[in-house]
């Protein structure tokens, strides 16, 4: 299951959704929003996505993960809109028969997401705002 | 032909709009259009990376833009 949502993510429901009787492991990655960047206080984050392309790119990543590791079920949910400090911006849950594959697949999905999926994060500071990673 | 380009993230700030229109002679490649955009919006040259996606996919630089293609400018992504 792949979703881009503009509301809080129900992490427990996602974990529940990937459970499988053939599974021996569920690995979960939760990306949360931090209250500072390089010592500078962050008030909140705004995320935006080119949604149809983001879904397509996430599907490509999930398909590659499924072909590489014996994934039983997966869930990838990323938020857009304003995300308050400490909230989940992204949750990835993967179930596999054995734990090693769950760890590897989950790490692969978040690492690739950060490289290719058209989603952008803006940090809002007290004195301005910055699109993350835009400039060298 | 006139094409519409969707803009996201910092590219939208640089364009000052969610979409911009560009008149093309026809037959231009993605690389040529990117070059036109960089001339028009100097700020694009300062970005760590910037590419044009066509019809919701990353494409090669030599892709020739056709009438009806949906173009989107993709500045450095920062999801997660």
């Amino acid at each position: 299951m792949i979703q881009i949502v503009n509301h809080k993510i129900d992490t427990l429901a996602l974990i529940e959704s990937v459970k499988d009787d053939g599974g021996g492991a569920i690995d979960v990655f939760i990306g949360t929003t931090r209250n500072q960047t390089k010592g500078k206080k962050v008030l909140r984050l705004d995320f935006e996505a080119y949604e149809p392309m983001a879904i397509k790119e996430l599907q490509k990543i999930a398909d590659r993960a499924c072909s590489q590791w014996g994934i039983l079920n997966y869930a990838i949910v990323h938020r857009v809109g304003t995300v308050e400090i400490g909230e989940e911006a992204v949750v990835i849950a993967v179930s596999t028969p054995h734990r090693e594959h769950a760890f590897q697949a989950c790490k692969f999905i978040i690492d690739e997401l950060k490289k290719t999926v058209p989603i952008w994060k803006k940090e809002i500071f007290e004195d301005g705002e910055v699109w993350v990673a835009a400039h060298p | 032909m006139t094409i519409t380009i969707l803009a996201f993230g910092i590219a939208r700030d640089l364009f000052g709009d969610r979409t911009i229109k560009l008149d093309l002679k026809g037959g231009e490649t993605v690389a040529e259009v990117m070059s036109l955009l960089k001339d028009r919006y100097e700020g694009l040259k300062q970005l760590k990376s910037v590419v044009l996606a066509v019809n919701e996919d990353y494409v090669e630089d030599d892709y020739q833009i056709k009438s009806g293609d949906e173009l989107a400018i993709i500045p450095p992504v920062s999801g997660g």
Side-chain angles (χ1 to χ4, degrees):
Chain A
M1 182 258 278
I2 293 172
Q3 285 183 333
I4 291 181
V5 298
N6 61 358
H7 53 74
K8 283 190 184 184
I9 299 172
D10 186 343
T11 303
L12 290 178
L14 279 197
I15 294 169
E16 199 59 38
S17 77
V18 301
K19 281 187 177 171
D20 188 288
D21 286 349
I26 295 174
D27 196 64
V28 182
F29 173 82
I30 303 173
T32 53
T33 48
R34 227 184 355 253
N35 64 0
Q36 58 84 30
T37 290
K38 294 173 186 152
K40 200 171 172 190
K41 186 179 175 191
V42 176
L43 302 181
R44 64 179 188 277
L45 289 98
D46 282 346
F47 286 88
E48 71 172 55
Y50 178 18
E51 289 198 26
M53 182 171 172
I55 297 280
K56 274 190 190 176
E57 289 297 316
L58 284 169
Q59 190 62 61
K60 285 181 198 170
I61 293 167
D63 290 349
R64 279 165 63 199
C66 286
S67 66
Q68 193 158 349
W69 296 283
I71 294 176
L72 298 164
N73 292 309
Y74 65 82
I76 306 169
V77 180
H78 201 299
R79 272 180 80 175
V80 289
T82 297
V83 179
E84 302 298 338
I85 299 304
E87 289 183 351
E88 295 89 341
V90 59
V91 179
I92 298 166
V94 180
S95 63
T96 60
H98 301 285
R99 71 181 181 281
E100 199 55 39
H101 286 172
F103 282 127
Q104 289 167 343
C106 200
K107 182 176 190 313
F108 172 82
I109 293 168
I110 185 59
D111 288 351
E112 291 301 305
L113 181 157
K114 284 179 166 284
K115 284 185 217 163
T116 62
V117 177
I119 296 175
W120 297 272
K121 174 170 33 189
K122 185 162 68 174
E123 290 174 326
I124 317 293
F125 301 102
E126 284 160 324
D127 61 351
E129 42 192 52
V130 172
W131 288 104
V132 174
H135 292 103
Chain B
M1 62 176 178
T2 303
I3 53 160
T4 301
I5 303 174
L6 308 176
F8 296 94
I10 196 167
R12 193 181 63 246
D13 293 351
L14 293 169
F15 289 178
D17 209 339
R18 288 186 173 276
T19 61
I20 57 159
K21 294 211 180 302
L22 204 59
D23 286 320
L24 299 180
K25 293 193 288 285
E28 287 91 343
T29 63
V30 157
E32 286 167 334
V33 169
M34 185 53 82
S35 174
L36 285 174
L37 289 171
K38 282 180 175 172
D39 288 344
R40 192 180 295 191
Y41 302 96
E42 292 275 325
L44 292 175
K45 294 177 183 170
Q46 314 303 321
L47 301 181
K48 195 157 56 176
S49 70
V50 61
V51 298
L52 276 170
V54 181
N55 302 327
E56 301 163 5
D57 256 317
Y58 292 111
V59 292
E60 297 295 330
D61 275 352
D62 60 5
Y63 176 93
Q64 282 193 317
I65 294 162
K66 298 184 295 291
S67 179
D69 279 347
E70 178 177 285
L71 271 70
I73 192 150
I74 311 284
V77 301
S78 51

